[in-house]
Amino acid sequence: MTYAWPNKTVPEFTDDELADAIEHNETSRDLVTRDLVRDCTREWERRRGITA
């Protein structure tokens, strides 16, 4: 089953959308998807003050 990415940029994702995107795609072999998951993870961490 293919994950339906929200139709917006990563900073516009809600916290739930970020969590879903990371959870459903973290093991993807597709390089573009992995880059998107990395961006989602960075945004999640930024919102929690883990990284700048």
Side-chain angles (χ1 to χ4, degrees):
M1 182 173 150
T2 302
Y3 177 76
W5 287 90
N7 190 19
K8 49 188 155 181
T9 63
V10 171
E12 296 172 328
F13 285 16
T14 65
D15 285 348
D16 288 340
E17 288 170 333
L18 284 171
D20 285 345
I22 294 166
E23 181 180 342
H24 288 99
N25 295 286
E26 63 187 347
T27 59
S28 175
R29 293 178 185 212
D30 179 70
L31 294 178
V32 172
T33 300
R34 286 176 33 194
D35 283 345
L36 285 167
V37 170
R38 189 175 312 121
D39 291 345
C40 288
T41 302
R42 286 182 186 144
E43 179 63 18
W44 179 265
E45 291 172 344
R46 185 194 66 76
R47 290 181 189 184
R48 278 147 187 77
I50 297 170
T51 60

